[in-house]
Amino acid sequence: YIGGSRPKDERPLEEAVRCNYISQCDINFSMNIEIVMHHFLTKCGFRMPSEAQKIERILESFADVYYRARSEIWANGDAVFVVFNAILMLN
């Protein structure tokens, strides 16, 4: 399950599976960040869970993958995570 059961520092294998799954999605990271997030949430073959901790783990993994793809415009993965969280809350 992509949401996992424990935080990434307690279950590194789950984090690796999430990041690998996200990396395999057909996402063009050069598009606007809100379009990339929309594509991730609607076209990557999973349904966002309703539990806040699982949503956080998914967004954190997605932010890490996004940061690796676009590190030239972001200070770190945490900044991307904050923006993704804000976009999700505004929807």
Side-chain angles (χ1 to χ4, degrees):
Y1 181 67
I2 194 169
S5 61
R6 305 297 307 157
K8 68 179 180 180
D9 55 340
E10 292 180 21
R11 294 277 178 101
L13 178 62
E14 288 181 357
E15 173 67 8
V17 168
R18 272 192 301 274
C19 287
N20 191 31
Y21 179 84
I22 294 166
S23 296
Q24 299 303 314
C25 289
D26 185 27
I27 300 174
N28 180 3
F29 290 107
S30 64
M31 296 186 295
N32 289 339
I33 191 168
E34 64 273 5
I35 295 170
V36 171
M37 187 169 180
H38 177 265
H39 185 81
F40 171 66
L41 294 175
T42 59
K43 308 266 193 253
C44 282
F46 74 96
R47 184 174 169 180
M48 188 66 86
S50 57
E51 186 180 332
Q53 292 88 350
K54 291 181 180 184
I55 293 171
E56 180 181 359
R57 285 192 285 273
I58 291 170
L59 286 182
E60 191 172 7
S61 299
F62 183 53
D64 288 343
V65 172
Y66 184 86
Y67 173 69
R68 279 186 254 137
R70 299 291 307 265
S71 59
E72 70 278 358
I73 61 172
W74 294 94
N76 55 41
D78 291 338
V80 179
F81 173 73
V82 169
V83 172
F84 282 153
N85 245 338
I87 291 170
L88 187 65
M89 286 191 284
L90 288 173
N91 276 335

Coordinates of all heavy atoms in Angstrom, one line a residue:
Y1 N 0.8 -1.2 0.0 CA 0.0 0.0 0.0 C 0.9 1.2 0.0 O 1.8 1.4 0.8 CB -0.9 0.0 1.2 CG -1.8 1.1 1.3 CD1 -2.8 1.3 0.4 CD2 -1.7 2.1 2.3 CE1 -3.7 2.4 0.5 CE2 -2.5 3.1 2.4 CZ -3.5 3.3 1.5 OH -4.3 4.4 1.5
I2 N 0.6 2.2 -0.9 CA 1.5 3.3 -1.1 C 1.5 4.2 0.1 O 2.5 4.9 0.4 CB 1.1 4.1 -2.4 CG1 2.2 5.1 -2.7 CG2 -0.3 4.8 -2.2 CD1 2.0 5.7 -4.1
G3 N 0.5 4.3 0.9 CA 0.4 5.1 2.1 C 1.3 4.6 3.2 O 1.8 5.4 4.1
G4 N 1.6 3.4 3.2 CA 2.5 2.8 4.3 C 1.8 2.7 5.6 O 0.7 3.1 5.8
S5 N 2.6 2.2 6.6 CA 2.0 2.0 7.9 C 2.8 2.7 9.0 O 2.3 3.0 10.0 CB 2.0 0.5 8.2 OG 3.3 0.0 8.2
R6 N 4.1 3.1 8.6 CA 4.9 3.8 9.6 C 5.7 4.9 8.9 O 5.9 4.9 7.7 CB 5.9 2.8 10.2 CG 5.3 1.6 10.9 CD 4.4 1.9 12.1 NE 5.1 2.7 13.1 CZ 4.4 3.4 14.0 NH1 3.1 3.4 14.0 NH2 5.1 4.1 14.9
P7 N 6.2 5.9 9.7 CA 7.1 6.9 9.1 C 8.3 6.3 8.4 O 8.7 5.2 8.7 CB 7.5 7.8 10.3 CG 6.5 7.5 11.3 CD 6.0 6.1 11.1
K8 N 8.8 7.1 7.4 CA 9.9 6.6 6.6 C 11.2 6.3 7.4 O 11.9 5.4 6.9 CB 10.2 7.6 5.5 CG 10.9 8.9 5.9 CD 11.1 9.8 4.7 CE 11.8 11.1 5.1 NZ 12.0 11.9 3.9
D9 N 11.4 6.9 8.5 CA 12.6 6.5 9.3 C 12.5 5.2 10.0 O 13.4 4.6 10.3 CB 13.0 7.6 10.2 CG 11.9 8.1 11.2 OD1 10.7 7.8 10.9 OD2 12.2 8.6 12.2
E10 N 11.2 4.8 10.2 CA 11.0 3.5 10.8 C 10.8 2.4 9.8 O 11.1 1.2 10.1 CB 9.7 3.6 11.7 CG 9.8 4.4 12.9 CD 8.5 4.5 13.7 OE1 7.7 3.6 13.6 OE2 8.3 5.4 14.5
R11 N 10.4 2.7 8.6 CA 10.2 1.7 7.6 C 10.8 2.2 6.3 O 10.1 2.7 5.4 CB 8.7 1.4 7.3 CG 8.0 0.7 8.5 CD 8.3 -0.8 8.4 NE 7.6 -1.5 9.5 CZ 6.5 -2.1 9.4 NH1 5.9 -2.2 8.2 NH2 6.0 -2.7 10.4
P12 N 12.2 2.1 6.1 CA 12.8 2.7 4.9 C 12.4 1.9 3.6 O 12.4 2.5 2.6 CB 14.3 2.5 5.2 CG 14.4 1.6 6.3 CD 13.1 1.6 7.1
L13 N 12.0 0.6 3.8 CA 11.6 -0.1 2.6 C 10.3 0.5 2.0 O 10.2 0.6 0.8 CB 11.4 -1.6 2.9 CG 10.9 -2.4 1.7 CD1 11.9 -2.4 0.6 CD2 10.6 -3.8 2.2
E14 N 9.4 0.8 2.9 CA 8.1 1.5 2.4 C 8.4 2.8 1.7 O 7.8 3.1 0.7 CB 7.1 1.7 3.6 CG 6.5 0.4 4.1 CD 5.5 0.7 5.2 OE1 5.4 1.8 5.6 OE2 4.9 -0.3 5.7
E15 N 9.3 3.6 2.2 CA 9.7 4.8 1.6 C 10.3 4.6 0.2 O 10.0 5.3 -0.8 CB 10.7 5.6 2.5 CG 11.2 6.8 1.9 CD 10.2 7.9 1.6 OE1 9.1 7.9 2.0 OE2 10.6 8.9 0.9
A16 N 11.2 3.6 0.1 CA 11.8 3.3 -1.1 C 10.8 2.8 -2.2 O 10.8 3.2 -3.3 CB 12.8 2.2 -0.9
V17 N 9.8 2.0 -1.7 CA 8.7 1.6 -2.6 C 7.9 2.8 -3.1 O 7.6 2.9 -4.3 CB 7.8 0.5 -1.9 CG1 6.5 0.3 -2.7 CG2 8.6 -0.8 -1.7
R18 N 7.5 3.7 -2.2 CA 6.8 4.9 -2.6 C 7.5 5.7 -3.6 O 7.0 6.1 -4.6 CB 6.4 5.7 -1.3 CG 5.2 5.4 -0.6 CD 4.8 6.4 0.4 NE 5.8 6.6 1.4 CZ 5.9 5.9 2.5 NH1 5.1 4.9 2.7 NH2 6.8 6.2 3.4
C19 N 8.8 6.0 -3.3 CA 9.6 6.8 -4.2 C 9.8 6.2 -5.6 O 9.7 6.8 -6.6 CB 10.9 7.1 -3.6 SG 10.8 8.3 -2.2
N20 N 10.0 4.8 -5.6 CA 10.1 4.1 -6.8 C 8.8 4.2 -7.6 O 8.8 4.4 -8.8 CB 10.6 2.7 -6.6 CG 11.0 2.0 -7.8 OD1 11.5 2.6 -8.8 ND2 10.8 0.7 -7.9
Y21 N 7.7 4.0 -6.9 CA 6.4 4.0 -7.6 C 6.2 5.4 -8.2 O 5.7 5.5 -9.4 CB 5.3 3.7 -6.6 CG 3.9 3.7 -7.2 CD1 3.4 2.6 -7.9 CD2 3.1 4.9 -7.1 CE1 2.1 2.7 -8.4 CE2 1.8 4.9 -7.6 CZ 1.3 3.8 -8.3 OH 0.1 3.9 -8.8
I22 N 6.4 6.4 -7.5 CA 6.2 7.8 -8.0 C 7.2 8.1 -9.1 O 6.8 8.7 -10.1 CB 6.4 8.8 -6.8 CG1 5.3 8.6 -5.8 CG2 6.4 10.2 -7.3 CD1 5.6 9.3 -4.4
S23 N 8.4 7.6 -9.0 CA 9.3 7.8 -10.1 C 8.9 7.1 -11.4 O 9.2 7.6 -12.5 CB 10.7 7.3 -9.7 OG 11.2 8.0 -8.6
Q24 N 8.2 6.0 -11.3 CA 7.7 5.3 -12.5 C 6.5 5.9 -13.1 O 6.2 5.5 -14.2 CB 7.5 3.8 -12.1 CG 8.7 3.1 -11.6 CD 9.9 3.1 -12.6 OE1 9.7 2.9 -13.8 NE2 11.0 3.4 -12.1
C25 N 5.8 6.8 -12.4 CA 4.6 7.5 -13.0 C 5.1 8.4 -14.2 O 6.2 8.9 -14.1 CB 3.9 8.3 -12.0 SG 3.1 7.4 -10.7
D26 N 4.2 8.5 -15.1 CA 4.6 9.3 -16.3 C 4.2 10.7 -16.0 O 3.2 11.2 -16.4 CB 3.8 8.8 -17.5 CG 4.1 9.5 -18.8 OD1 5.3 9.9 -18.9 OD2 3.3 9.6 -19.7
I27 N 5.2 11.4 -15.3 CA 5.0 12.8 -14.9 C 6.0 13.6 -15.6 O 7.2 13.3 -15.5 CB 5.0 12.9 -13.4 CG1 3.9 12.1 -12.7 CG2 4.9 14.4 -13.0 CD1 4.0 12.1 -11.2
N28 N 5.6 14.7 -16.2 CA 6.6 15.7 -16.8 C 6.8 16.8 -15.7 O 6.0 17.7 -15.5 CB 6.0 16.3 -18.0 CG 6.9 17.3 -18.7 OD1 8.0 17.5 -18.2 ND2 6.4 17.9 -19.7
F29 N 7.9 16.7 -15.0 CA 8.2 17.6 -13.9 C 8.6 19.0 -14.3 O 8.7 19.9 -13.5 CB 9.3 17.0 -13.0 CG 8.9 15.8 -12.2 CD1 9.4 14.5 -12.6 CD2 8.1 15.9 -11.1 CE1 9.0 13.4 -11.9 CE2 7.7 14.8 -10.4 CZ 8.2 13.6 -10.8
S30 N 8.7 19.2 -15.6 CA 9.0 20.6 -16.1 C 7.8 21.5 -16.2 O 7.9 22.7 -16.4 CB 9.7 20.5 -17.4 OG 8.9 20.0 -18.4
M31 N 6.6 20.9 -16.0 CA 5.3 21.7 -16.1 C 5.2 22.4 -14.8 O 5.9 22.3 -13.8 CB 4.1 20.7 -16.3 CG 4.1 20.0 -17.6 SD 2.6 19.1 -17.9 CE 2.7 17.8 -16.6
N32 N 4.2 23.3 -14.7 CA 3.9 24.1 -13.5 C 3.6 23.1 -12.3 O 3.0 22.1 -12.5 CB 2.7 25.0 -13.7 CG 3.0 26.1 -14.6 OD1 4.1 26.5 -14.8 ND2 1.9 26.7 -15.2
I33 N 4.0 23.5 -11.1 CA 3.9 22.7 -10.0 C 2.4 22.2 -9.7 O 2.2 21.0 -9.4 CB 4.5 23.3 -8.7 CG1 4.6 22.3 -7.6 CG2 3.7 24.5 -8.3 CD1 5.5 22.8 -6.5
E34 N 1.4 23.1 -9.9 CA 0.1 22.6 -9.7 C -0.4 21.6 -10.7 O -1.2 20.7 -10.4 CB -0.9 23.8 -9.6 CG -1.0 24.6 -10.8 CD 0.0 25.7 -11.0 OE1 0.9 25.8 -10.2 OE2 -0.1 26.5 -12.0
I35 N 0.1 21.7 -11.9 CA -0.3 20.8 -13.0 C 0.4 19.4 -12.7 O -0.2 18.4 -12.8 CB 0.1 21.3 -14.3 CG1 -0.7 22.5 -14.7 CG2 -0.1 20.2 -15.4 CD1 -0.3 23.3 -15.9
V36 N 1.6 19.5 -12.2 CA 2.3 18.2 -11.9 C 1.6 17.5 -10.7 O 1.4 16.3 -10.7 CB 3.8 18.5 -11.5 CG1 4.5 17.3 -10.9 CG2 4.6 19.1 -12.7
M37 N 1.2 18.3 -9.7 CA 0.5 17.7 -8.6 C -0.8 17.1 -9.0 O -1.2 16.1 -8.6 CB 0.4 18.7 -7.5 CG -0.2 18.1 -6.2 SD -0.1 19.2 -4.8 CE -0.8 18.1 -3.6
H38 N -1.6 17.9 -9.8 CA -2.9 17.4 -10.3 C -2.7 16.1 -11.1 O -3.4 15.1 -10.9 CB -3.5 18.4 -11.2 CG -4.8 18.0 -11.8 ND1 -4.8 17.4 -13.1 CD2 -6.0 18.0 -11.4 CE1 -6.1 17.1 -13.4 NE2 -6.8 17.4 -12.3
H39 N -1.7 16.0 -11.9 CA -1.4 14.8 -12.7 C -1.1 13.6 -11.7 O -1.5 12.5 -11.9 CB -0.2 15.0 -13.7 CG 0.0 13.9 -14.6 ND1 -0.7 13.6 -15.7 CD2 0.9 12.9 -14.5 CE1 -0.3 12.5 -16.3 NE2 0.7 12.0 -15.5
F40 N -0.2 13.9 -10.7 CA 0.1 12.9 -9.7 C -1.1 12.4 -9.0 O -1.3 11.2 -8.8 CB 1.1 13.5 -8.8 CG 1.4 12.6 -7.6 CD1 2.1 11.4 -7.8 CD2 1.1 13.0 -6.3 CE1 2.3 10.6 -6.7 CE2 1.3 12.1 -5.2 CZ 2.0 10.9 -5.4
L41 N -2.0 13.2 -8.6 CA -3.2 12.8 -7.8 C -4.3 12.2 -8.7 O -5.1 11.5 -8.1 CB -3.7 14.0 -7.1 CG -2.8 14.6 -6.0 CD1 -3.4 15.9 -5.4 CD2 -2.5 13.6 -4.9
T42 N -4.3 12.4 -10.0 CA -5.4 11.9 -10.8 C -5.0 10.8 -11.8 O -5.8 10.0 -12.1 CB -6.1 13.0 -11.5 OG1 -5.1 13.7 -12.4 CG2 -6.7 14.0 -10.6
K43 N -3.7 10.8 -12.2 CA -3.4 9.9 -13.3 C -2.3 8.8 -12.9 O -1.9 8.1 -13.8 CB -2.8 10.7 -14.5 CG -3.7 11.8 -14.9 CD -4.5 11.4 -16.0 CE -5.2 12.7 -16.7 NZ -6.5 12.8 -16.4
C44 N -1.9 8.7 -11.7 CA -0.9 7.8 -11.3 C -1.4 6.5 -10.8 O -0.6 5.7 -10.3 CB 0.1 8.4 -10.3 SG 1.2 9.6 -11.2
G45 N -2.6 6.2 -10.8 CA -3.2 4.9 -10.6 C -3.4 4.5 -9.1 O -3.4 3.4 -8.7
F46 N -3.5 5.5 -8.2 CA -3.8 5.2 -6.8 C -4.8 6.2 -6.3 O -5.0 7.3 -6.9 CB -2.6 5.2 -6.0 CG -2.1 6.6 -5.7 CD1 -2.4 7.2 -4.5 CD2 -1.2 7.2 -6.6 CE1 -1.9 8.5 -4.2 CE2 -0.7 8.5 -6.3 CZ -1.1 9.1 -5.2
R47 N -5.5 5.9 -5.3 CA -6.4 6.8 -4.6 C -5.9 7.3 -3.3 O -5.3 6.5 -2.5 CB -7.8 6.1 -4.4 CG -8.8 7.0 -3.9 CD -10.1 6.2 -3.8 NE -11.0 7.1 -3.0 CZ -12.3 6.7 -2.7 NH1 -12.7 5.6 -3.1 NH2 -13.0 7.5 -2.0
M48 N -5.9 8.6 -3.1 CA -5.4 9.2 -1.9 C -6.1 8.7 -0.7 O -7.4 8.7 -0.7 CB -5.5 10.7 -2.0 CG -4.7 11.5 -0.9 SD -3.0 11.3 -0.9 CE -2.5 12.5 -2.0
P49 N -5.4 8.2 0.3 CA -6.1 7.7 1.5 C -6.7 8.8 2.3 O -6.4 10.0 2.0 CB -5.0 7.0 2.3 CG -3.8 7.6 1.8 CD -4.0 8.1 0.4
S50 N -7.6 8.5 3.2 CA -8.2 9.6 4.0 C -7.5 9.9 5.3 O -7.8 10.9 6.0 CB -9.7 9.1 4.3 OG -9.7 7.9 5.0
E51 N -6.6 9.0 5.7 CA -5.8 9.2 7.0 C -4.7 10.3 6.8 O -3.9 10.2 5.8 CB -5.2 7.9 7.4 CG -4.6 8.0 8.8 CD -4.0 6.7 9.2 OE1 -4.5 5.6 8.8 OE2 -3.0 6.7 10.0
A52 N -4.6 11.2 7.6 CA -3.7 12.4 7.5 C -2.2 11.9 7.5 O -1.4 12.4 6.7 CB -3.9 13.4 8.6
Q53 N -1.9 10.9 8.3 CA -0.5 10.5 8.3 C -0.1 9.8 7.0 O 1.0 10.0 6.5 CB -0.3 9.5 9.5 CG -0.4 10.1 10.8 CD -1.8 10.1 11.4 OE1 -2.8 9.8 10.6 NE2 -2.0 10.4 12.6
K54 N -1.0 9.1 6.4 CA -0.7 8.4 5.1 C -0.6 9.5 4.0 O 0.3 9.4 3.1 CB -1.8 7.4 4.8 CG -1.7 6.2 5.7 CD -2.8 5.2 5.4 CE -2.6 4.0 6.4 NZ -3.6 2.9 6.0
I55 N -1.5 10.5 4.0 CA -1.4 11.6 3.1 C 0.0 12.3 3.2 O 0.6 12.5 2.2 CB -2.5 12.5 3.2 CG1 -3.9 11.9 2.9 CG2 -2.3 13.8 2.4 CD1 -5.1 12.7 3.2
E56 N 0.4 12.5 4.4 CA 1.7 13.2 4.7 C 2.8 12.4 4.1 O 3.7 12.9 3.5 CB 1.9 13.4 6.1 CG 3.2 14.1 6.5 CD 3.4 14.3 7.9 OE1 2.5 14.0 8.7 OE2 4.5 14.8 8.3
R57 N 2.8 11.0 4.3 CA 3.9 10.2 3.8 C 3.9 10.2 2.3 O 5.0 10.3 1.7 CB 3.7 8.8 4.4 CG 4.1 8.6 5.8 CD 4.2 7.2 6.2 NE 2.9 6.5 6.4 CZ 2.2 6.5 7.5 NH1 2.7 7.2 8.6 NH2 1.1 5.9 7.6
I58 N 2.8 10.1 1.7 CA 2.7 10.2 0.2 C 3.3 11.5 -0.3 O 4.1 11.5 -1.3 CB 1.3 9.9 -0.3 CG1 0.9 8.4 0.0 CG2 1.2 10.2 -1.8 CD1 -0.5 8.1 -0.3
L59 N 2.8 12.6 0.2 CA 3.2 13.9 -0.2 C 4.7 14.1 0.0 O 5.4 14.7 -0.8 CB 2.4 15.0 0.5 CG 1.0 15.2 0.0 CD1 0.3 16.4 0.7 CD2 1.0 15.4 -1.5
E60 N 5.2 13.6 1.2 CA 6.6 13.8 1.5 C 7.5 13.0 0.5 O 8.5 13.5 0.0 CB 6.9 13.3 2.9 CG 8.2 13.6 3.4 CD 8.4 13.3 4.9 OE1 7.5 12.6 5.5 OE2 9.4 13.6 5.4
S61 N 7.1 11.8 0.1 CA 7.8 11.0 -0.9 C 7.7 11.7 -2.3 O 8.7 11.8 -3.0 CB 7.2 9.6 -1.0 OG 7.3 8.9 0.2
F62 N 6.5 12.2 -2.6 CA 6.4 12.9 -3.9 C 7.2 14.2 -3.9 O 7.9 14.5 -4.9 CB 4.9 13.3 -4.1 CG 4.6 13.9 -5.4 CD1 5.1 13.4 -6.6 CD2 4.0 15.1 -5.5 CE1 4.8 14.0 -7.8 CE2 3.7 15.8 -6.7 CZ 4.1 15.2 -7.9
A63 N 7.3 14.9 -2.8 CA 8.1 16.1 -2.7 C 9.6 15.7 -2.9 O 10.3 16.4 -3.6 CB 7.9 16.8 -1.4
D64 N 10.1 14.6 -2.4 CA 11.4 14.2 -2.5 C 11.7 13.9 -4.0 O 12.8 14.3 -4.5 CB 11.7 12.9 -1.7 CG 11.8 13.2 -0.2 OD1 12.0 14.4 0.2 OD2 11.7 12.3 0.6
V65 N 10.8 13.1 -4.7 CA 11.0 12.8 -6.1 C 11.0 14.1 -6.9 O 11.8 14.3 -7.8 CB 10.0 11.8 -6.5 CG1 10.0 11.6 -8.0 CG2 10.1 10.5 -5.8
Y66 N 10.1 15.0 -6.6 CA 10.0 16.2 -7.4 C 11.2 17.1 -7.2 O 11.7 17.6 -8.1 CB 8.7 17.0 -6.9 CG 8.5 18.3 -7.7 CD1 7.8 18.2 -8.9 CD2 9.0 19.5 -7.3 CE1 7.6 19.4 -9.7 CE2 8.8 20.6 -8.0 CZ 8.1 20.6 -9.2 OH 7.9 21.7 -10.0
Y67 N 11.7 17.1 -6.0 CA 12.9 17.9 -5.7 C 14.1 17.4 -6.4 O 14.9 18.1 -7.0 CB 13.2 17.9 -4.2 CG 14.5 18.6 -3.8 CD1 14.7 19.9 -4.0 CD2 15.6 17.8 -3.4 CE1 15.9 20.5 -3.8 CE2 16.8 18.4 -3.1 CZ 17.0 19.8 -3.3 OH 18.2 20.4 -3.0
R68 N 14.2 16.0 -6.5 CA 15.4 15.4 -7.2 C 15.3 15.8 -8.7 O 16.3 16.0 -9.4 CB 15.4 13.9 -7.1 CG 16.0 13.5 -5.7 CD 16.2 12.1 -5.6 NE 15.2 11.6 -4.7 CZ 14.4 10.5 -4.8 NH1 14.6 9.8 -5.8 NH2 13.6 10.2 -3.9
A69 N 14.1 15.9 -9.2 CA 13.9 16.3 -10.7 C 14.1 17.8 -10.9 O 14.5 18.1 -12.0 CB 12.5 15.8 -11.1
R70 N 13.8 18.6 -9.9 CA 13.8 20.1 -10.1 C 14.6 20.8 -9.0 O 14.2 21.8 -8.6 CB 12.4 20.6 -10.1 CG 11.5 20.1 -11.2 CD 11.8 20.6 -12.6 NE 12.0 22.0 -12.8 CZ 11.0 22.8 -13.2 NH1 9.9 22.4 -13.5 NH2 11.3 24.1 -13.3
S71 N 15.7 20.2 -8.7 CA 16.5 20.8 -7.5 C 17.1 22.1 -7.8 O 17.5 22.9 -6.9 CB 17.6 19.8 -7.1 OG 18.5 19.6 -8.2
E72 N 17.1 22.5 -9.1 CA 17.7 23.8 -9.4 C 16.8 25.0 -9.0 O 17.3 26.1 -8.9 CB 18.0 23.9 -10.9 CG 16.8 24.0 -11.9 CD 16.2 22.7 -12.2 OE1 16.7 21.6 -11.7 OE2 15.2 22.7 -12.9
I73 N 15.5 24.8 -8.8 CA 14.6 25.9 -8.4 C 14.2 25.8 -7.0 O 13.4 26.7 -6.5 CB 13.4 25.9 -9.4 CG1 12.6 24.7 -9.3 CG2 13.9 26.2 -10.8 CD1 11.3 24.8 -10.1
W74 N 14.5 24.8 -6.2 CA 14.1 24.6 -4.8 C 15.3 24.5 -3.9 O 16.3 24.0 -4.3 CB 13.2 23.4 -4.7 CG 11.9 23.5 -5.4 CD1 11.7 23.0 -6.7 CD2 10.7 24.1 -5.0 NE1 10.4 23.3 -7.0 CE2 9.8 23.9 -6.0 CE3 10.4 24.7 -3.8 CZ2 8.5 24.4 -5.9 CZ3 9.1 25.2 -3.7 CH2 8.2 25.0 -4.7
A75 N 15.1 25.1 -2.7 CA 16.2 25.0 -1.7 C 16.3 23.6 -1.2 O 17.5 23.1 -0.9 CB 15.9 26.0 -0.6
N76 N 15.2 22.9 -0.9 CA 15.3 21.5 -0.4 C 13.9 20.9 -0.6 O 12.9 21.5 -1.0 CB 15.7 21.5 1.1 CG 14.9 22.3 1.9 OD1 13.6 22.4 1.8 ND2 15.5 23.1 2.9
G77 N 13.8 19.6 -0.3 CA 12.6 18.8 -0.4 C 11.5 19.3 0.5 O 10.3 19.1 0.2
D78 N 11.9 19.8 1.7 CA 10.9 20.3 2.7 C 10.1 21.5 2.1 O 8.9 21.6 2.4 CB 11.6 20.7 4.0 CG 12.1 19.5 4.7 OD1 11.7 18.3 4.5 OD2 13.1 19.6 5.6
A79 N 10.8 22.3 1.4 CA 10.1 23.5 0.8 C 9.0 23.0 -0.2 O 7.9 23.5 -0.3 CB 11.1 24.4 0.1
V80 N 9.4 22.0 -1.0 CA 8.4 21.4 -1.9 C 7.3 20.8 -1.2 O 6.1 21.0 -1.6 CB 9.1 20.4 -2.8 CG1 8.1 19.8 -3.8 CG2 10.3 21.0 -3.6
F81 N 7.5 20.1 -0.1 CA 6.5 19.5 0.7 C 5.5 20.5 1.2 O 4.3 20.3 1.2 CB 7.1 18.7 1.8 CG 6.1 18.1 2.8 CD1 5.3 17.0 2.5 CD2 6.0 18.7 4.1 CE1 4.4 16.5 3.3 CE2 5.1 18.1 5.0 CZ 4.3 17.1 4.6
V82 N 6.0 21.6 1.7 CA 5.2 22.7 2.3 C 4.2 23.2 1.2 O 3.0 23.4 1.4 CB 6.0 23.8 2.9 CG1 5.2 25.0 3.2 CG2 6.7 23.3 4.1
V83 N 4.8 23.4 0.0 CA 4.0 23.9 -1.1 C 2.9 22.9 -1.5 O 1.8 23.2 -1.8 CB 4.9 24.3 -2.3 CG1 4.0 24.7 -3.6 CG2 5.7 25.5 -1.9
F84 N 3.3 21.6 -1.6 CA 2.3 20.6 -2.0 C 1.2 20.5 -0.9 O 0.1 20.3 -1.3 CB 3.0 19.2 -2.1 CG 3.8 19.0 -3.4 CD1 4.8 18.2 -3.4 CD2 3.4 19.7 -4.5 CE1 5.5 18.0 -4.6 CE2 4.1 19.5 -5.7 CZ 5.1 18.6 -5.8
N85 N 1.6 20.6 0.3 CA 0.6 20.6 1.4 C -0.4 21.8 1.2 O -1.6 21.6 1.4 CB 1.2 20.7 2.8 CG 1.0 19.4 3.6 OD1 0.1 18.7 3.3 ND2 1.9 19.2 4.5
A86 N 0.1 23.0 1.0 CA -0.7 24.1 0.8 C -1.6 24.0 -0.4 O -2.8 24.3 -0.3 CB 0.2 25.4 0.6
I87 N -1.1 23.4 -1.5 CA -2.0 23.2 -2.7 C -3.1 22.2 -2.4 O -4.2 22.4 -2.8 CB -1.1 22.7 -3.9 CG1 -0.2 23.8 -4.4 CG2 -2.0 22.2 -5.0 CD1 0.8 23.4 -5.4
L88 N -2.7 21.2 -1.7 CA -3.7 20.1 -1.3 C -4.8 20.7 -0.4 O -6.0 20.4 -0.6 CB -3.1 18.9 -0.7 CG -3.9 17.7 -0.4 CD1 -4.4 17.1 -1.7 CD2 -3.2 16.7 0.4
M89 N -4.4 21.5 0.5 CA -5.4 22.1 1.4 C -6.3 23.1 0.7 O -7.5 23.3 1.1 CB -4.7 22.8 2.6 CG -4.2 21.8 3.6 SD -3.7 22.5 5.1 CE -2.1 23.2 4.7
L90 N -5.8 23.8 -0.3 CA -6.6 24.8 -1.0 C -7.6 24.1 -2.0 O -8.5 24.8 -2.4 CB -5.7 25.7 -1.8 CG -4.9 26.7 -1.0 CD1 -3.9 27.5 -1.8 CD2 -5.8 27.7 -0.3
N91 N -7.3 22.9 -2.3 CA -8.3 22.2 -3.2 C -9.4 21.8 -2.4 O -10.2 21.3 -2.2 CB -7.6 21.0 -3.9 CG -6.9 21.4 -5.1 OD1 -7.2 22.4 -5.7 ND2 -5.9 20.6 -5.5

